[in-house]
């Protein structure tokens, strides 16, 4: 069997700090310290073994190049991408082309959002053709959901089932912001206050503080390490321009991610029915329905029915956002994009909390972005270097 | 001192007293200037005839640089809309309706629907432009027509 285009790139460590609405006494740098120490300890590597980094933080505006000196000033490869999957793809490409052997990617966010009268600052676009109409992230995604509901008759109850399923996962994850906060029913989602139609409060992602990271290296080195390896077997990025600068017209952005997913599946020799774990990006409940359609798990317009009857629950056919996702695990700056890869790693290496561990998964699909944001990146992972089923 | 040492206070200390006004760019200035004269402008390509919005330096369809500003009659339909209960900032009174408008010439823009509660709105509802004063600017909003 031939290797994937990524030539056996493996994730050998993944770590999340505790996630919370506010982490008292913590800032980006203290959180990053925790992540770096834990990743090295988990992988039994030293800082000298890391010959490439992409460590960044939004609030402190810590750029990867500045972060280099945190691990000493020796020569290393340095990444630039700040968005989760894209950063992992960039690092995997560096390893595949021989620029580096072992790369640490980490991200942290704390202390930015305090004003409760307005939506979170990163959700408020300053662009001239969106800001003055009172738009923000949730409203842009709502415009996509409303169009889908009008064209296909997708019901609010389907959105609510997605939100309830994901939020129940978060209830069981000890590191989640909503850990132990109670199971959520679709009825509770529909009864929560309206944010922007069709999204109720519980359809929307939370705001969080936290940090996380991972280490990737070659399969050969992974075999020499006493670490569980998870392989990157396919990836792609779809970008349509800057988010929130023009109308998210469904006819143009409704299938964003389709091209990226098709390429990723071709690289991996997989198809949607082969995927065991769906770590899809869940900024709003509807986006899960959209992604199942865009990636070819079901036909356009059928997503609302597709997710029904427990199909996306932990013990279902296509479990989604198994750590609680952006709705209840964490949404901290750009960290939550990297966390989609981290949770895929945790599922495939058997490191999830028992009640959230999918039974013997061999493949996972992680995604970032969505229709309202005019981009969608995807990554396929497997517990074998060649994933062909 | 380290280059990453935090120098400034929280980035979330805006004043939310006023509704935001557009900050035109060199490229978009003709659009916003026309709004002050109660006119809605979009770019049209002389080569392929397609309309372009938001403004671009050259035609993204045929990649010729023959874009020129054209006045739109400002009539179209609601492509999608959302009734917003959680405002962008406290300066907005809730609820308000944000929408994607599909102009009859085929181009789309984000806007607000005024003068109608969301319960009376539906996708494909006919609308026309109306210009609302905001500070020194005017904002192109839309209202229902028959």
């Amino acid at each position: 069997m031939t290797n994937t285009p990524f030539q056996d790139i493996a994730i050998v460590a993944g770590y999340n700090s505790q996630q919370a609405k506010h982490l008292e006494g913590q800032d980006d740098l203290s959180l990053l310290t925790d992540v770096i120490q834990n990743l090295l300890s988990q992988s039994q590597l030293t800082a000298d073994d890391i010959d490439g980094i992409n460590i960044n933080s939004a609030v402190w505006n810590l750029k990867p190049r500045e972060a280099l000196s945190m691990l000493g000033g020796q020569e290393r490869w340095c990444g630039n991408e700040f968005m989760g999957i894209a950063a992992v793809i960039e690092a995997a490409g560096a390893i595949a082309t021989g620029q580096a052997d072992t790369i640490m990617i980490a991200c942290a966010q704390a202390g930015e959002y305090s004003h409760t009268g307005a939506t979170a600052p990163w959700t408020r676009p300053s662009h001239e053709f969106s800001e003055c109409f009172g738009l923000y992230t949730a409203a842009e995604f709502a415009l996509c959901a409303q169009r889908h509901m009008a064209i296909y008759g997708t019901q609010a109850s389907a959105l609510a089932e997605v939100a309830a399923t994901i939020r129940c996962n978060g209830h069981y994850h000890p590191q989640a912001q909503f850990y132990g906060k109670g199971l959520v029913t679709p009825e509770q989602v529909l009864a929560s206050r309206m944010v922007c139609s069709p999204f109720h409060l519980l359809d929307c992602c939370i705001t969080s503080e936290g940090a996380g990271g991972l280490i990737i290296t070659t399969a050969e080195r992974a075999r020499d390490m006493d670490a569980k390896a998870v392989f990157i077997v396919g990836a792609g990025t779809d970008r349509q321009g800057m988010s929130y600068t023009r109308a998210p017209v469904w006819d143009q952005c409704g299938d964003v991610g389709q091209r990226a997913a098709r390429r990723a599946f071709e690289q991996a020799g997989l198809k949607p029915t082969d995927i065991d774990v769906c770590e899809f990006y869940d900024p709003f409940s509807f986006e899960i329905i959209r992604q199942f359609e865009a990636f070819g798990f079901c036909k356009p317009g059928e997503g609302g029915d597709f997710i029904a009857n427990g199909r996306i629950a932990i013990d279902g056919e296509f479990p989604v956002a198994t750590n609680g996702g952006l709705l209840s695990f964490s949404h901290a700056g750009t960290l939550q994009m990297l966390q989609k890869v981290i949770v895929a790693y945790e599922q495939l290496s058997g490191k999830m909390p028992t009640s959230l561990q999918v039974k013997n998964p061999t493949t996972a699909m992680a995604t970032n972005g969505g229709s309202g944001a005019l981009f969608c990146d995807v990554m396929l992972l497997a517990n074998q270097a060649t994933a062909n089923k | 001192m380290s280059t990453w040492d935090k120098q400034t206070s929280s980035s979330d200390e805006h004043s939310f007293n006023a509704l935001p006004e557009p900050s035109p760019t060199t490229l978009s200035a003709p659009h916003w200037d026309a709004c002050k004269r109660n006119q809605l402008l979009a770019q049209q390509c002389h080569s392929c005839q397609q309309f372009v919005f938001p403004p671009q330096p050259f035609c993204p369809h045929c990649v010729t640089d023959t874009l020129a500003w054209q006045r739109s009659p400002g009539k179209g339909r609601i492509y999608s809309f959302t009734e917003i209960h959680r405002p962008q900032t406290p300066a907005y009174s809730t609820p308000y309706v944000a929408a994607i408008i599909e102009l009859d010439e085929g181009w789309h823009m984000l806007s607000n629907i005024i003068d109608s509660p969301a319960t009376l709105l539906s996708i494909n509802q006919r609308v026309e432009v109306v210009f609302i004063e905001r500070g020194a600017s005017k904002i192109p909003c839309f209202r229902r027509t028959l």
Side-chain angles (χ1 to χ4, degrees), chain A residues 225-297:
Chain A
M225 297 166 61
D226 186 22
K228 288 192 175 170
V230 166
F231 300 87
I232 298 167
V233 294
T237 62
D238 273 0
R239 308 287 174 89
Q240 296 186 287
M242 291 305 293
S243 306
Y244 320 125
T245 58
R246 59 187 165 96
V249 177
W250 177 261
D251 292 356
Q252 298 161 11
C253 68
D255 64 353
V256 66
Q258 186 168 83
R259 170 194 163 280
R262 186 173 63 241
R263 285 176 173 254
F265 281 125
E266 281 171 8
Q267 291 161 19
L270 294 174
K271 54 188 184 301
T273 49
D274 296 328
I275 300 302
D276 296 327
V277 184
C278 298
E279 298 299 348
F280 291 178
Y281 202 65
D282 56 328
F284 306 98
S285 54
F286 169 72
E287 185 56 31
I288 297 297
I289 292 170
R290 187 199 74 81
Q291 288 178 47
F292 275 120
E293 296 178 10
F295 302 150
F297 286 74

Side-chain angles (χ1 to χ4, degrees), chain B residues 44-49 57-59 62-69:
Chain B
Q44 186 180 18
C45 178
H46 277 310
S47 300
C48 72
Q49 308 303 314
F58 54 82
C59 178
C62 69
V63 200
T64 54
D65 55 356
T66 57
L67 290 175
W69 289 98

Side-chain angles (χ1 to χ4, degrees), chain A residues 29 59-62 66-70 110-121 124-125 127-136 138-140 142-147 150-151 193-198 244-252, chain B residues 3-8 10-14 16 19-25 28-29 31-32 53-56 78-90 92 96-102 108-112 118 123-124 134 139-141:
Chain A
L29 298 185
V59 178
W60 291 69
N61 202 22
L62 174 69
E66 295 173 305
L68 282 165
S69 56
M70 293 170 76
E112 183 172 10
Y113 181 39
S114 56
H115 198 289
T116 55
T119 61
R124 279 182 258 126
H127 192 264
E128 58 184 323
F129 292 114
S130 57
E131 182 185 28
C132 62
F133 302 112
L135 284 150
Y136 54 95
E140 300 258 5
L143 290 169
C144 294
Q146 291 274 85
R147 180 78 186 175
I151 295 173
R193 68 178 164 85
M194 189 64 87
V195 172
C196 50
S197 58
Y244 320 125
T245 58
R246 59 187 165 96
V249 177
W250 177 261
D251 292 356
Q252 298 161 11
Chain B
T3 51
W4 61 75
D5 221 350
K6 201 173 186 184
Q7 297 290 324
T8 54
S10 167
S11 61
D12 196 24
E13 292 182 356
H14 294 88
F16 295 129
L19 293 170
E21 284 186 53
S23 304
T25 63
S28 70
H31 169 85
W32 292 113
F53 190 86
Q56 296 290 327
I78 297 176
Y79 183 86
S80 189
F81 71 99
T82 176
E83 185 182 45
I84 297 178
H85 294 260
R86 164 70 159 162
Q88 178 197 69
T89 73
Y92 284 88
Y96 59 96
V97 175
I100 299 172
I101 308 300
E102 183 173 85
H108 298 84
M109 69 177 291
L110 291 165
S111 186
N112 295 127
I123 283 173
N124 288 331
R134 184 172 299 174
I139 308 293
C141 297

Side-chain angles (χ1 to χ4, degrees), chain A residues 46-364:
Chain A
T46 68
D48 284 342
D49 296 322
I50 306 294
D51 68 347
I53 70 147
N54 184 346
I55 297 170
N56 61 75
S57 99
V59 178
W60 291 69
N61 202 22
L62 174 69
K63 301 280 191 296
R65 194 170 168 190
E66 295 173 305
L68 282 165
S69 56
M70 293 170 76
L71 285 175
Q74 58 265 57
E75 299 90 339
R76 288 188 170 96
W77 176 87
C78 181
N80 287 302
E81 267 289 351
F82 68 97
M83 296 202 289
I85 285 172
V88 179
I89 293 173
E90 180 191 39
I95 294 172
T97 53
Q99 300 178 73
D101 293 319
T102 306
I103 296 175
M104 177 186 285
I105 303 173
C107 184
Q109 165 109 9
E112 183 172 10
Y113 181 39
S114 56
H115 198 289
T116 55
T119 61
W122 57 85
T123 72
R124 279 182 258 126
S126 58
H127 192 264
E128 58 184 323
F129 292 114
S130 57
E131 182 185 28
C132 62
F133 302 112
L135 284 150
Y136 54 95
T137 306
E140 300 258 5
F141 277 84
L143 290 169
C144 294
Q146 291 274 85
R147 180 78 186 175
H148 192 275
M149 294 168 89
I151 295 173
Y152 298 115
T154 308
Q155 299 295 307
S157 57
L159 277 61
E161 175 154 354
V162 171
T165 303
I166 294 173
R167 285 176 175 273
C168 286
N169 293 345
H171 168 76
Y172 289 115
H173 200 301
Q175 287 174 305
Q177 181 171 326
F178 275 65
Y179 173 57
K181 298 281 176 68
L183 297 173
V184 174
T185 66
E187 293 72 27
Q188 286 173 308
V189 176
L190 292 170
S192 62
R193 68 178 164 85
M194 189 64 87
V195 172
C196 50
S197 58
F199 296 149
H200 297 264
L201 181 67
L202 298 185
D203 285 303
C204 301
C205 58
I206 53 179
T207 61
S208 314
E209 296 181 350
L214 50 79
I215 293 175
I216 73 173
T217 187
T218 61
E220 186 181 352
R221 278 172 189 255
R223 276 189 288 273
D224 293 339
M225 297 166 61
D226 186 22
K228 288 192 175 170
V230 166
F231 300 87
I232 298 167
V233 294
T237 62
D238 273 0
R239 308 287 174 89
Q240 296 186 287
M242 291 305 293
S243 306
Y244 320 125
T245 58
R246 59 187 165 96
V249 177
W250 177 261
D251 292 356
Q252 298 161 11
C253 68
D255 64 353
V256 66
Q258 186 168 83
R259 170 194 163 280
R262 186 173 63 241
R263 285 176 173 254
F265 281 125
E266 281 171 8
Q267 291 161 19
L270 294 174
K271 54 188 184 301
T273 49
D274 296 328
I275 300 302
D276 296 327
V277 184
C278 298
E279 298 299 348
F280 291 178
Y281 202 65
D282 56 328
F284 306 98
S285 54
F286 169 72
E287 185 56 31
I288 297 297
I289 292 170
R290 187 199 74 81
Q291 288 178 47
F292 275 120
E293 296 178 10
F295 302 150
F297 286 74
C298 63
K299 290 180 179 154
E302 293 180 355
D305 292 334
F306 186 80
I307 58 85
N309 303 317
R311 187 178 246 155
I312 61 170
I314 293 296
D315 58 355
E317 193 180 355
F318 296 108
V320 160
T322 61
N323 62 0
L326 282 58
L327 296 178
S328 64
F329 183 77
S330 181
H331 185 307
T334 55
L335 168 67
Q336 80 281 353
M337 292 195 252
L338 187 61
Q339 284 173 326
K340 290 298 181 186
V341 183
I342 298 173
V343 66
Y345 167 77
E346 290 172 336
Q347 280 288 1
L348 294 178
S349 59
K351 292 182 175 178
M352 288 293 282
T354 308
S355 58
L356 296 174
Q357 177 67 54
V358 174
K359 283 207 179 85
N360 305 314
T362 62
T363 59

